[in-house]
Structure formats: structure tokens, C-alpha cells
Amino acid sequence: MATVLPPPSKRQRREALERTQVQQDATPAAILAGSFKARFVDKDGNQLADTIEVPLADATEKNVSLLLNTLLQREREEFTPYRFRIQLPNSDIVIDNYPSPSEFLEVLRKHGIENPFETTITLSAEPQAVFKVQAVTRMAHRIPGHGQPILAAQFSPKSGSLLATGSGGMDKTLRLFDPSTGQAIGKPFTGHSKWITSMSWQPFHLWRDDNPRIASASKDGTIRLWLTNSGTIEHVRVWNAVDGTLRHKLESHVHWVNSLSLSSDAVLRTGFYDHTKKIPESMDDQRAKAKERFEKAAKHQGKIVERIISASDDCTMYLWDPESHGTKPLARLLGHQKGVNHCVFSPDGNYIASCGFDNQVKVWDRDGKFLATLRGHVAPVFQCSFSADSRLLVTCSRDTTLKIWNMRTFKLQGDLPGHDDEVYAVDWSPDGSVVGSGGKDKAVRIWRN
């Protein structure tokens, strides 16, 4: 006996009627039937492979990345993911965000390319990290130790086996912690007469032994260089890390400078350590690999190029290249409505992140072009730090929270409450496993996924 279906409901009949009244868009299938010619170049403009036709229907960024790896004759296990920027022919315009196949032709025509099928499109290929850092989601340790608010925090080079923190007010000390156990290491480093505002570890390839140095800057107007094994001071008021001389004086800001970041900061901090976790046996081999990684990351057209980004209370940032352009800035970055507290380059060098008293976090490309505003904090944002793969950004704020942002979508990925007061300092470990933070509640917090 045949089964008799029940009659459609009123809602089903209404939806069916609406579908018959809506004109169906049949254009995407026709548009995606064509192909375009792709020319691949590296960041220096050097051609990577032969020009090839790419079917539009398959022209997702992932597929184009696989195609380039195939053209470079790489084995499957050696494939490198790429991010692509579109360089328009006969123009200085660069499209930063690679469009989906259905949007590809529309984007090109919007920029004056009427017949993309007869045009060679240059795709600038930027290697991405082959590993993925997971967003931290929970607090693993709450570590007391400082007697005043914590103003600065930074993990040591290599895998981030140590976390250094500096405090303000009457405390004025620098302390070391083991992030895996949450225990303080040794005694506090004392010597500054006022609060510590920032710190930086010695690059690994410059370590002379297993006793790294760390520099701390203070409101007392000095920079002190410490031996971490003993806490003794080696130098004060250091300018050049080698001979103490002044190399350049960069003047453009009209108010005090709150933050400086070097484009090679990440590779200097990680030393020989990378996602493979293969550790050279001897200290000499470790230093050699650290130097090799630094030169590979910093070289541009055959020479070492390091850029500096500066952030100020004048609501602006400046991008500098002191070695090539001397004291003339490359770009002035505008957009913050109040003072800019902190700025930092991403490990891959493709992004600059900044945060300020306007409650906002902003993202820029490596040349200072504005990309996005990240809104979510409800009070001033004090610091930000990228994950080792440059895919995530963590920020800390007066609103007592840390927030995790996705750099592909520029959307909020996670919210981390847990501090009892304003959060002044945050850092992501070089191996991507933990985040350290500190603030007005005087306790260091370690976060894990």
C-alpha cells in the first residue's frame, strides 16, 4: 500500500511561493567558467615560477597555494602555506585581502580591469607559518610575588622557559618565573630607583654562555643590563648593544614615545627554536642556527633590513628604516583618537598591531597601510602580543580582561577574564604554548589552551 504524504503546512506553502517570486541568480556559474593568468613573485618582486593559467572556479587561496608549491616541485611534506596579495598591472595598487572565486572578477573590474581573462595577474606570495598556535582559553597559574602593579612582562628566547616581569611604585624590582610550574626563580633584581617600564632579553645568538642578559628600562632614566643567573648589573644607560654609542636620533613625534618595536624582534627572541623543536646539540651549533634564522628573516634583496615602529601619546605612529633611510620616517600611521600605548610587529613581519587609550586595537600591514580596527575592549588597551604563527593576537586592558583576536578575520576569538584589576602587561611565549600577563592586582597569571 502506498504511503500518502501529508499536505504541506502553511509555512511550507508560503516559503515555496516566495522562492518562485525571487529571481534566481544564474551568473556565478557562468562567471566561474573562465580562467586567468597568474604570475607568482616573492616579497622582493622576483619571479618564483612560470606564468600559468588558473581556473577561476578553483582559485581559492588554499588551492593557489597548493599550485605554487607544485610548480616549485616540492614534496607534499615540504609544502608551505602562502598568503597572496594581488598586484594590479600598470598600477601601484595592491589588493591585500585575497578574494573568494565568486568575488574575484568583481574585485578586479572594480579596479579597472575589464577583461581579466586576457590579463596577467601578479600574485605576491608570502610564506605563512606551517604550524598553528592554539588560542589560550584558561588560567593555569596565579603567581604572587610583586608588591606593586606589574607593568612589563616578557618570555625569554628559545621556548620561553622563563618569564621576566617588572613592577612599579615602591617595588621597582625585576623578577623571573618558571611558567610551567608557576614558581618564582631566585631573588628579585634590585637597583632601579623608580618603576620599571619595559624590558628586553638578549638575542640568543649573542649569548656567550648559558647566562643570558636582560635589559630593563625605568622611569629613573636608566637602562640596566642584568646577568640573569646572578641578578648583578653589567651596564647602565646602554645605547648601542655593542659599544654604547648613539647611532641615530629619530625625531618626528610631538609628544613622548610610549613604545618601540623592531621588525626582527620575534626571530631574535626565538633564537634557534622553531616549530620543529629540533635542538642543535652544542651551544655553538645553537648560536649558529639562531644567527642563520635571523639573517633569513631579516634579509631583503640581499641585505639585512630591520624596521622600527614607534607609538606616541600624540596619537600617531611612525615607521622607520634607520639603516637605509636614516632619520626620515617611511610612513606616518594615523587612526587612533587618543594616545597609543603599545605597538608590535607580527613574527612573520606582515602585520603591525597597535593599541591605545581610545579602547581600540588597530592592525596595519608591514608598510603602514591600515587594515582593520578590533573593537571589544571597553576601556584603554595597554599592550598586545602576537602568537608565534602570527595568526592570533592577545591584548590586555584596563577593563580587567585579555582578549584573543583572529588575524585572518580580524574578529574576536576568545575572552579571558580572571584578573582582579587593570591588566598592564601581556606576552605570548615563543613556542606558542602559554600567555603571561600582569597588572594592578600585583599577581602574574599564566594562561594555557
Side-chain angles (χ1 to χ4, degrees), residues 100-372:
S100 65
S102 61
E103 299 171 334
F104 206 96
L105 294 184
E106 180 185 350
V107 169
L108 294 180
R109 286 170 176 159
K110 187 183 295 183
H111 289 86
I113 300 177
E114 294 300 327
N115 190 358
F117 304 115
E118 300 296 326
T119 305
T120 299
I121 304 299
T122 298
L123 298 178
S124 178
E126 297 173 356
Q128 302 294 286
V130 296
F131 64 102
K132 266 195 172 183
V133 171
Q134 299 298 316
V136 295
T137 57
R138 62 184 177 85
M139 184 168 60
H141 299 291
R142 182 186 183 278
I143 313 170
H146 285 288
Q148 291 292 323
I150 297 163
L151 305 182
Q154 192 178 87
F155 285 97
S156 63
K158 300 192 293 184
S159 60
S161 56
L162 296 174
L163 175 65
T165 59
S167 66
M170 300 302 293
D171 189 297
K172 302 166 292 189
T173 64
L174 184 149
R175 300 210 67 172
L176 298 180
F177 297 93
D178 182 343
S180 63
T181 64
Q183 298 298 313
I185 297 175
K187 296 180 179 179
F189 296 2
T190 59
H192 282 295
S193 60
K194 290 189 177 181
W195 55 90
I196 296 170
T197 56
S198 63
M199 61 186 64
S200 180
W201 287 84
Q202 181 184 25
F204 181 81
H205 66 272
L206 298 178
W207 289 18
R208 293 196 294 268
D209 45 41
D210 199 20
N211 185 14
R213 290 146 181 80
I214 186 170
S216 59
S218 168
K219 187 68 174 178
D220 63 16
T222 70
I223 298 175
R224 294 174 183 259
L225 196 61
W226 312 79
L227 291 170
T228 53
N229 281 6
S230 61
T232 55
I233 300 172
E234 273 203 326
H235 301 292
V236 181
R237 302 180 191 274
V238 177
W239 291 75
N240 184 294
V242 177
D243 56 20
T245 59
L246 177 65
R247 291 289 302 276
H248 291 286
K249 189 177 181 181
L250 308 177
E251 296 180 303
S252 281
H253 288 293
V254 296
H255 214 303
W256 52 62
V257 176
N258 294 323
S259 178
L260 289 172
S261 179
L262 190 65
S263 58
S264 58
D265 273 342
V267 71
L268 288 173
R269 288 182 59 195
T270 50
F272 64 81
Y273 186 90
D274 59 20
H275 67 283
T276 65
K277 300 182 181 179
K278 295 178 181 178
I279 301 176
E281 293 183 4
S282 70
M283 179 66 79
D284 287 342
D285 290 340
Q286 291 175 5
R287 278 196 292 261
K289 183 179 178 181
K291 186 177 181 181
E292 177 188 344
R293 291 187 69 237
F294 163 70
E295 291 178 345
K296 182 179 178 181
K299 273 190 176 177
H300 182 73
Q301 296 181 345
K303 67 177 184 178
I304 300 293
V305 175
E306 293 179 284
R307 291 182 171 184
I308 296 173
I309 187 73
S310 60
S312 168
D313 250 27
D314 63 11
C315 309
T316 71
M317 297 190 293
Y318 280 95
L319 186 63
W320 314 82
D321 181 352
E323 290 300 313
S324 301
H325 290 76
T327 59
K328 182 179 180 180
L330 298 176
R332 186 185 185 208
L333 285 61
L334 301 173
H336 280 284
Q337 303 302 309
K338 293 184 179 180
V340 189
N341 286 320
H342 193 233
C343 57
V344 64
F345 281 94
S346 62
D348 62 11
N350 291 328
Y351 296 114
I352 298 167
S354 61
C355 53
F357 277 100
D358 56 5
N359 305 357
Q360 296 180 358
V361 181
K362 294 187 182 292
V363 183
W364 322 74
D365 74 6
R366 63 188 176 197
D367 296 317
K369 179 184 176 183
F370 172 76
L371 296 178

Side-chain angles (χ1 to χ4, degrees), residues 13-24:
R13 291 198 300 270
R14 184 175 65 252
E15 290 175 349
L17 178 62
E18 289 174 351
R19 284 196 296 270
T20 63
Q21 293 174 343
V22 175
Q23 181 179 357
Q24 299 298 314

Side-chain angles (χ1 to χ4, degrees), residues 88-93:
L88 299 180
N90 305 315
S91 172
D92 294 330
I93 297 175

